[in-house]
Amino acid sequence: METRILADFYGLSYIEITNLNGYDNQNFSVKSDKGKFILKTYKAKPELQELIEGENQTLLNLNRDNENIFPNPIPNLSSNFLNYENGIISRLLSFVDGEFLGNVEHTPDLFFSFGKFLAKMDNQLLNFRNSAIKARQSNWDLQHLELNKKYISCISRPEKRKLVSYYFQQFREQVQPELNDLRKSIIHADANEWNVLVKNGKVSGIIDFGDMAYSPLINEVSIAITYGMMGKKNPLEWASYIIQGYHKHLPLLSREIDLLYYLVATRLCISVCNSAFSRQENPENEYISISEKPAWDLLEKWIAINPTLAAESFRNALGFDSIIQQDYQKEKATRDEHLSKALSLSFPQPIKMTGSAFQYMFDAAGKTYLDAYNNIPHVGHCHPKVVEAGQKQMAKLNTNTRYIYDQLNDYTEKLLSKFLGNLNKVFFVNSGSAASDLAIRLATNFTGKNKLMAMEYGYHGNTRMGIEMSHYKYGGKGGKGQAANILKAPIPDTYKGQFRENNGSAGKGYAHLAIDLMKENDAEIAAFIAEPVVGCGGQVPLANGYLKEIYPAIRAQGGICISDEVQVGFGRLGEYFWGFEMQEVIPDMVVLGKPMGNGHPMGAVVTTDAIAEAFANGMEFFSSFGGNPVSCAIGKAVLEVMGEEGLQENARQTGDYLKNLLLNLKEKHPEIGDIRGSGLFFGVELIQNYNRNQPATALAKNIQNGLKDMGILIGIDGPDNNVLKIKPPMCFTRNNADQLVEGLISQLQAK
Ligand code: PMP
């Protein structure tokens, strides 16, 4: 058919045709007696015809003052630029020669010329108008990102899907509100390395105007740098060459370049969404996914780049003012003026945080931090599914448990399905502290007793009751000592404590120390509360068999057993969803907090029918915010993400990998006395002089500060502040683990 079109409509002979790749039309390279051409054929559709006509007009306009830079429409024998036959539209274009940008070595000069080339082309198009192109809504046009939303579900891997959803959300938040104020023009809108041609080390031509759009001008640059950065070690640097070349010939505005970070992500999302969709539709067409791998690679790199750093490097390249902030003295002074000094700041040089994404946090100085410390953003900072759940519900209904609403029942059912035994009632509150406080009220009410046994170095909350039962607080700096109704169970620590055989005997030994204490108290203990791994106490897992021994004794004297799962719950320990499972016990009450709402303030007490019923003694229990529809929607999204992304299993696998790395490190560094924990919850205890009773407190602080300078966040805890705490978001990867351990190595070597 193609040969006949060429002969009949153009009078060409000696024709040699090669079929080229194409996205949604057919392209042919033609050699003939009259030279080289490109033949394009399309299935005829009315709106398509207008667009092709628009494309031809654009090309004719561009070719007015240029030669062999842009494809030039060739008139047929009747002086028309389009042919129609049997439902097929065809047209012929001049052949633009040159090497593809994708096939030549990239240099700063070449990239500069690339920017310059696009700017010159766009300058020519600034006053050109075409109503068909203007009306077009293409899903490849960055401003219409939302048209691609339906393709997100075609991305099979959940950890990839979440990246794309994250940037869709960022587009809505950061780009959409600016769109109306950006200058628009007709742009090529697809300056990728297989459309751009090079001669003598400079960009010399561009082909394939099929994606032309009337779109914000900056999108021309966004698309070009997106492809220019693929496969580069320092993507921001390479992007800057293109931007500089462009800016020199068509000056950009700071508000435009400040959006580039998000617009690049937008292009990458469009690309991977369409690849995923097209592969589903058309598994054979390899051209479709030509840039799929490099696009994913860049997207995965992009998520760890601080948007402020990106904006700053583009600004720098063009000589715009810096937006980096390094000095926070003013903010610190305001804070000190308004807040009590009882609130602390981490680090002598505090960090001003401005954003975050999954396991990364971004500061005002443009630095990215790998978050190996914050266990509250459990499924990842700003997880799009959690954010969306909150946003949507907030826009619809937020009220309290005095009304019926579906979100409460939906979430409660989902949460309680995670519990065994007769743990089947839940009270919702807004923090771990409120939950532990309520747990004690429930316990004293149920048992009629008023003494409590709590763990040495344990922490359960900031309420009056919380402080009273938390040895970490009442026994620490500023603490008022142990109250008369509190019994302190010796911490079952097999590293430094009295019993060290972790085969069950130590657990029994420690339990009996506590049981002996209990015996002196005439069956007055209402509750025993402990964390399965004592977090603030220095990440100390309870000795094996401890709870199995002590729980029956507590119950036998009429008390109830509470597990504080605020830090270790929700799959963090990898092997177990709840920490108490590790000890093969089922408590009577479970205290939940931190990870429950991924940063949204949520807490809960889960308990038995009997305990919950006894509490209904006529006095209403009401929490203004506990269990509200927004919190429930968020809590449900957290559990769903856990399941979809297999985060408990990731904690197990990545945790095992990280633990091995840490154990290897311990072999080489005698300052590491102990590595303990599992899943994504570890303690690294630092000691001096090979002596586990000589804490290396200063070293711990130095390492924490040194890692911070390297862009890695960890915590410190334990009674001697010598235990490095590692408890990152559950999406932590092996690469993240490598980065953390490499950081630790360099800090230990620098000590
Ligand atoms: N229990 C434990 C084990 C905790 O770690 C914490 C917080 N560090 C709490 C309770 C109190 O939780 P919140 O800070 O949400 O009040």
Side-chain angles (χ1 to χ4, degrees):
M1 178 186 77
E2 292 77 31
T3 319
R4 209 177 33 72
I5 292 175
L6 292 164
D8 290 359
F9 288 111
Y10 297 96
L12 298 183
S13 51
Y14 306 115
I15 298 166
E16 202 183 306
I17 293 188
T18 320
N19 197 344
L20 302 174
N21 302 313
Y23 220 97
D24 43 26
N25 72 307
Q26 297 253 26
N27 295 324
F28 304 91
S29 156
V30 179
K31 277 189 196 158
S32 75
D33 53 329
K34 293 189 184 131
K36 281 167 98 178
F37 300 96
I38 297 291
L39 175 71
K40 286 176 174 273
T41 61
Y42 308 78
K43 275 193 192 131
K45 281 184 259 170
E47 68 281 19
L48 183 66
Q49 182 188 326
E50 284 181 22
L51 278 172
I52 301 170
E53 276 165 358
E55 192 185 320
N56 272 350
Q57 278 166 24
T58 312
L59 289 173
L60 291 168
N61 179 295
L62 282 173
N63 276 296
R64 212 173 294 144
D65 305 318
N66 300 292
E67 224 168 279
N68 208 19
I69 290 183
F70 310 105
N72 206 6
I74 308 288
N76 62 21
L77 295 173
S78 343
S79 303
N80 291 322
F81 290 107
L82 296 187
N83 321 301
Y84 309 89
E85 197 182 56
N86 303 330
I88 300 288
I89 303 178
S90 58
R91 63 184 183 132
L92 198 63
L93 297 171
S94 67
F95 182 85
V96 186
D97 57 358
E99 289 240 55
F100 285 118
L101 181 61
N103 279 339
V104 301
E105 193 197 334
H106 292 176
T107 65
D109 266 0
L110 175 63
F111 270 38
F112 188 88
S113 80
F114 182 15
K116 176 177 163 183
F117 181 94
L118 293 177
K120 286 181 128 179
M121 175 179 72
D122 288 347
N123 255 325
Q124 249 186 288
L125 291 174
L126 280 182
N127 296 317
F128 177 75
R129 294 285 176 269
N130 180 280
S131 53
I133 296 174
K134 192 165 179 185
R136 181 184 200 189
Q137 295 212 339
S138 152
N139 55 349
W140 285 91
D141 182 353
L142 308 196
Q143 64 187 325
H144 299 308
L145 172 71
E146 292 288 337
L147 296 175
N148 298 280
K149 196 171 176 191
K150 54 186 178 294
Y151 300 150
I152 299 181
S153 61
C154 306
I155 300 168
S156 53
R157 304 263 298 268
E159 70 276 16
K160 293 191 159 179
R161 237 175 8 239
K162 78 174 188 187
L163 286 186
V164 169
S165 302
Y166 173 84
Y167 282 121
F168 267 72
Q169 214 161 55
Q170 295 306 313
F171 180 85
R172 256 168 261 142
E173 296 295 322
Q174 311 289 343
V175 181
Q176 222 145 39
E178 303 290 321
L179 276 179
N180 282 340
D181 296 328
L182 296 176
R183 54 183 163 158
K184 287 189 173 186
S185 182
I186 288 184
I187 57 172
H188 178 281
D190 194 18
N192 75 53
E193 72 276 37
W194 304 111
N195 285 339
V196 172
L197 299 163
V198 176
K199 271 188 209 160
N200 307 320
K202 302 240 177 315
V203 167
S204 60
I206 190 163
I207 58 170
D208 192 356
F209 283 67
D211 281 326
M212 267 194 317
Y214 180 72
S215 192
L217 185 65
I218 189 66
N219 288 345
E220 191 83 290
V221 182
S222 314
I223 292 165
I225 65 172
T226 302
Y227 293 96
M229 288 191 289
M230 284 178 184
K232 302 291 195 301
K233 216 169 168 188
N234 302 311
L236 295 178
E237 191 183 318
W238 284 95
S240 293
Y241 302 134
I242 300 175
I243 296 168
Q244 279 172 336
Y246 193 95
H247 184 69
K248 194 148 182 222
H249 297 270
L250 206 176
L252 294 166
L253 309 173
S254 58
R255 62 150 29 127
E256 292 172 326
I257 62 166
D258 286 351
L259 288 177
L260 276 175
Y261 172 83
Y262 296 104
L263 292 170
V264 165
T266 303
R267 180 55 173 206
L268 291 170
C269 287
I270 292 179
S271 171
V272 298
C273 276
N274 280 279
S275 297
F277 171 69
S278 303
R279 194 150 14 79
Q280 240 180 33
E281 296 290 295
N282 200 348
E284 257 90 78
N285 189 342
E286 282 179 14
Y287 179 69
I288 282 164
S289 33
I290 188 165
S291 54
E292 189 174 17
K293 166 119 184 23
W296 277 118
D297 289 349
L298 185 57
L299 204 55
E300 275 156 18
K301 212 169 190 174
W302 209 240
I303 196 82
I305 292 180
N306 186 331
T308 305
L309 177 75
E312 178 74 3
S313 24
F314 301 147
R315 280 174 161 263
N316 255 340
L318 305 189
F320 288 139
D321 290 344
S322 166
I323 48 166
I324 289 287
Q325 190 191 357
Q326 307 263 19
D327 179 3
Y328 313 137
Q329 285 311 314
K330 211 167 132 234
E331 285 92 332
K332 192 170 173 302
T334 309
R335 184 183 150 112
D336 289 344
E337 195 183 328
H338 299 135
L339 301 181
S340 160
K341 292 249 168 37
L343 279 82
S344 75
L345 275 169
S346 301
F347 307 109
Q349 302 282 330
I351 306 174
K352 178 175 173 181
M353 290 297 185
T354 53
S356 55
F358 305 107
Q359 63 272 49
Y360 304 105
M361 299 187 79
F362 309 125
D363 77 358
K367 191 161 176 165
T368 295
Y369 294 92
L370 172 65
D371 186 357
Y373 174 53
N374 291 289
N375 61 341
I376 298 170
H378 195 59
V379 299
H381 290 271
C382 300
H383 193 291
K385 182 154 182 172
V386 178
V387 173
E388 189 178 353
Q391 284 178 332
K392 273 196 165 158
Q393 189 56 44
M394 219 181 289
K396 193 173 180 198
L397 170 75
N398 201 9
T399 182
N400 61 62
T401 49
R402 285 182 179 140
Y403 303 99
I404 288 182
Y405 43 89
D406 291 338
Q407 293 76 18
L408 181 67
N409 286 345
D410 289 352
Y411 178 50
T412 304
E413 273 176 16
K414 209 162 169 60
L415 181 65
L416 288 179
S417 74
K418 299 286 178 190
F419 286 91
L420 307 165
N422 51 0
L423 290 166
N424 59 4
K425 284 278 186 301
V426 60
F427 291 86
F428 289 114
V429 287
N430 317 109
S431 67
S433 300
S436 66
D437 192 282
L438 174 63
I440 301 306
R441 270 185 70 201
L442 286 162
T444 50
N445 175 74
F446 183 69
T447 61
K449 303 174 191 293
N450 72 353
K451 290 196 176 178
L452 300 173
M453 182 176 263
M455 188 56 66
E456 185 179 17
Y457 304 127
Y459 177 65
H460 303 290
N462 61 22
T463 63
R464 193 176 161 139
M465 184 70 249
I467 300 298
E468 242 176 58
M469 64 178 152
S470 299
H471 175 230
Y472 175 73
K473 290 289 185 193
Y474 71 71
K477 267 193 204 161
K480 296 241 159 46
Q482 196 169 333
N485 64 329
I486 302 294
L487 281 80
K488 183 175 72 191
I491 188 165
D493 173 359
T494 54
Y495 178 61
K496 274 189 310 206
Q498 180 177 348
F499 309 108
R500 296 185 181 175
E501 284 297 321
N502 206 7
N503 55 6
S505 69
K508 271 195 185 153
Y510 288 114
H512 279 279
L513 294 179
I515 291 167
D516 289 347
L517 258 179
M518 209 170 4
K519 282 187 183 146
E520 296 161 18
N521 280 272
D522 300 330
E524 283 301 317
I525 296 171
F528 167 81
I529 181 166
E531 300 163 76
V533 182
V534 188
C536 296
Q539 310 283 84
V540 179
L542 304 180
N544 288 336
Y546 178 77
L547 292 183
K548 228 175 177 174
E549 195 72 15
I550 199 170
Y551 271 18
I554 296 286
R555 285 170 176 150
Q557 59 87 67
I560 64 150
C561 302
I562 307 174
S563 185
D564 183 335
E565 300 276 340
V566 167
Q567 289 203 31
V568 298
F570 291 92
R572 176 154 294 276
L573 299 179
E575 199 81 36
Y576 312 98
F577 199 82
W578 303 115
F580 59 76
E581 294 170 46
M582 187 170 59
Q583 291 266 329
E584 298 172 333
V585 292
I586 296 182
D588 307 302
M589 223 184 268
V590 181
V591 172
L592 304 178
K594 291 187 194 291
M596 199 174 176
N598 211 46
H600 177 79
M602 291 178 76
V605 178
V606 174
T607 189
T608 63
D609 258 338
I611 293 172
E613 286 315 308
F615 199 55
N617 62 1
M619 184 196 286
E620 183 196 20
F621 173 77
F622 180 66
S623 161
S624 296
F625 306 127
N628 72 65
V630 172
S631 300
C632 288
I634 288 175
K636 183 162 160 261
V638 170
L639 290 175
E640 283 168 0
V641 172
M642 288 277 312
E644 282 160 20
E645 296 180 13
L647 292 179
Q648 183 182 344
E649 181 57 17
N650 182 57
R652 193 178 69 76
Q653 289 187 15
T654 309
D656 284 352
Y657 177 79
L658 175 56
K659 189 162 188 177
N660 265 330
L661 295 180
L662 292 170
L663 288 170
N664 283 338
L665 200 60
K666 179 173 177 291
E667 293 296 304
K668 297 186 191 109
H669 294 276
E671 308 89 321
I672 300 181
D674 194 26
I675 304 286
R676 52 187 178 247
S678 68
L680 286 170
F681 200 71
F682 292 112
V684 178
E685 178 144 4
L686 301 175
I687 57 170
Q688 304 182 68
N689 306 323
Y690 305 93
N691 183 341
R692 60 181 73 185
N693 292 316
Q694 289 188 20
T697 305
L699 176 64
K701 194 93 222 139
N702 286 342
I703 290 181
Q704 187 196 27
N705 285 327
L707 284 176
K708 174 227 173 192
D709 291 341
M710 295 177 73
I712 301 169
L713 299 176
I714 58 156
I716 293 184
D717 234 322
D720 297 304
N721 287 311
N722 67 325
V723 181
L724 307 180
K725 270 181 108 155
I726 300 169
K727 42 177 194 160
M730 299 278 278
C731 50
F732 211 63
T733 64
R734 285 180 181 218
N735 281 343
N736 296 149
D738 289 337
Q739 187 189 340
L740 168 62
V741 172
E742 279 157 24
L744 279 171
I745 292 171
S746 77
Q747 290 307 314
L748 284 162
Q749 283 167 351
K751 70 183 181 330

